[in-house]
Amino acid sequence: MENLPFDIDYICREFSIPGRFTGYKTKSDGIINKTYVISFDNCGKEEKYTLQNINTYVFKNPYELMKNISAVTSHIHNAIIQKGLDPQRRVLSFLAASDGNCCCKDENANFWRLYHYIDGVYTLNTIDKPSVFEACGRAFGEFQNLLSDFDGQSLYETIENFHNTKIRLEQLKDALKTDAVGKAKDIQAEIEFIISRESDCKKLAELTDAGLLPIRVTHNDTKLNNVLFDNETDEGICIIDLDTVMPGLSLYDFGDSVRFGANKVIEDEPDTSKVGIDLNLYESYTKGYLSSCADKLNDLEKDLLPFSVKVLALELGIRFLTDYLNGDLYFKITHPMHNLERCRNQLALSRDIEINMDKMKEITQKYI
Ligand code: GN1
Ligand code: MG
């Protein structure tokens, strides 16, 4: 097979994969790592694996990253067995490389990891029916539950201050000052919008410092497409993309999930007039999420659920804009304005959430 985006002989050797390589598919859901599903014929039986090239611009220490993921997945694995459920389909399982680590480094300093492919599931980038988003909320709430007795102290911080919106804003201001590629002049409106919401950016960090919001072990990247849904039951059975599982706030997970899934359009939609919060979807997610973890959250966490959606949209807008100013080094892009369009989409969403805040609070109250 010609022109593979990976060296299949190396991968097979490193992970001792049995059988004959028959082909691959590229997965395009994530915008950080490169992901492929690779297939083998093992004595007449098709066997599949998910192969990922870890983005080392984003994740500086893949070995630490994989130690986190090993610890977290084995904790979840045990918890799932205790519940009498099938760990093969409900948690990712990684293959060890030849040196015993859960990833390997090739001669070009690319890091690779491999996990068993889970069959009979689908992923989504948009919602076709509200019940699916309720299932997504239930799955992330359950993820929170499964990790509630996991010791976060043992985890490395794979990306420092990942959801510290206050620090994200400082990083934007630095990028603006440096103006590495001369784009600062074009983004006055976006900067004004963000600066006028500086107090919102600081709020969660301040409440955490004051000891009012508890640090938990959270996923931190709770996009809809990071859930595997069962083909037969539509249940969200497995949470993937565990790179950012770290100590964090429950509100990061709730806010991030809703800002992605309950937006009326996809994150990449450039027409901001179409952007908005779908209140029915907000309700579905809130219902699902609180049904599986309401008893774990304190009153302030529950009160701030709607606010968290606004602030996570604002934060991602800040991150896209910072990357745009820095010359698009972090997120994969397909065209020069991509990160700016994504930023505008998120800022429009946070504006629409402000407008609908009272309605969102009312909906949330129904499920508290
Ligand atoms: C990235 O890896 P992926 O595509 O699931 C990013 C998230 C953003 C998201 C926006 C490690 O997630 O924080 O919310 O893009 N992950 C990282 O689409 O930065
Ligand atoms: Mg992902």
Side-chain angles (χ1 to χ4, degrees), residues 6 13 20 25 40 76 82 104 109 114 118-119 127 146 187 216 227-228 243 247 249 274 308 317-318 348 365-366:
F6 41 80
R13 238 182 5 255
R20 180 179 58 86
K25 277 197 187 117
F40 291 80
I76 296 177
Q82 270 174 21
C104 57
L114 190 73
I118 298 175
D119 242 325
I127 316 268
L146 292 171
I187 53 160
R216 307 178 182 282
V227 181
L228 304 182
D243 297 327
L249 302 182
K274 295 183 183 157
S308 76
I318 291 172
Q365 281 310 318
K366 286 208 255 172

Side-chain angles (χ1 to χ4, degrees), residues 29-30 221 223 225-226 241:
D29 285 346
D221 185 8
K223 280 157 78 170
N225 60 24
N226 286 332
D241 205 349

Side-chain angles (χ1 to χ4, degrees), residues 86 92 96 109 163 178 180 261 277 330 334 351 358:
D86 178 7
L92 297 181
H163 280 306
T178 311
I277 182 86
Y330 187 99
T334 59
R351 178 69 196 127
D358 287 343

Side-chain angles (χ1 to χ4, degrees), residues 330-358:
Y330 187 99
F331 297 105
K332 286 187 228 160
I333 56 162
T334 59
H335 52 279
M337 297 289 273
H338 204 160
N339 273 323
L340 182 56
E341 288 167 5
R342 286 168 170 159
C343 159
R344 289 180 172 149
N345 179 310
Q346 292 303 307
L347 299 187
L349 180 63
S350 68
R351 178 69 196 127
D352 195 54
I353 294 168
E354 284 172 356
I355 294 167
N356 285 285
M357 188 52 84
D358 287 343

Side-chain angles (χ1 to χ4, degrees), residues 159-174:
I159 301 176
E160 254 177 82
N161 295 309
F162 188 58
H163 280 306
N164 189 325
T165 318
K166 189 175 158 188
I167 290 180
R168 292 294 188 180
L169 180 59
E170 295 309 317
Q171 291 166 348
L172 172 64
K173 288 180 183 169
D174 288 345

Side-chain angles (χ1 to χ4, degrees), residues 287-305:
K287 187 176 173 197
Y289 181 78
L290 289 176
S291 76
S292 53
C293 74
D295 55 330
K296 297 275 181 347
L297 307 182
N298 75 22
D299 288 347
L300 184 60
E301 285 173 293
K302 286 184 243 180
D303 280 350
L304 288 174
L305 291 173

Side-chain angles (χ1 to χ4, degrees), residues 2-64:
E2 308 269 298
N3 294 331
L4 293 177
F6 41 80
D7 177 349
I8 190 64
D9 295 331
Y10 168 78
I11 299 294
C12 288
R13 238 182 5 255
E14 272 298 320
F15 294 102
S16 312
I17 311 176
R20 180 179 58 86
F21 175 67
T22 52
Y24 80 98
K25 277 197 187 117
T26 304
K27 299 282 284 176
S28 55
D29 285 346
I31 59 174
I32 302 288
N33 299 312
K34 292 187 192 133
T35 308
Y36 312 93
V37 177
I38 55 176
S39 303
F40 291 80
D41 178 339
N42 189 16
C43 304
K45 192 170 160 254
E46 188 190 36
E47 282 169 359
K48 291 194 262 184
Y49 302 85
T50 302
L51 173 67
Q52 284 189 310
N53 180 345
I54 303 172
N55 181 330
T56 49
Y57 179 79
V58 172
F59 299 107
K60 308 287 182 208
N61 192 331
Y63 293 118
E64 286 185 357

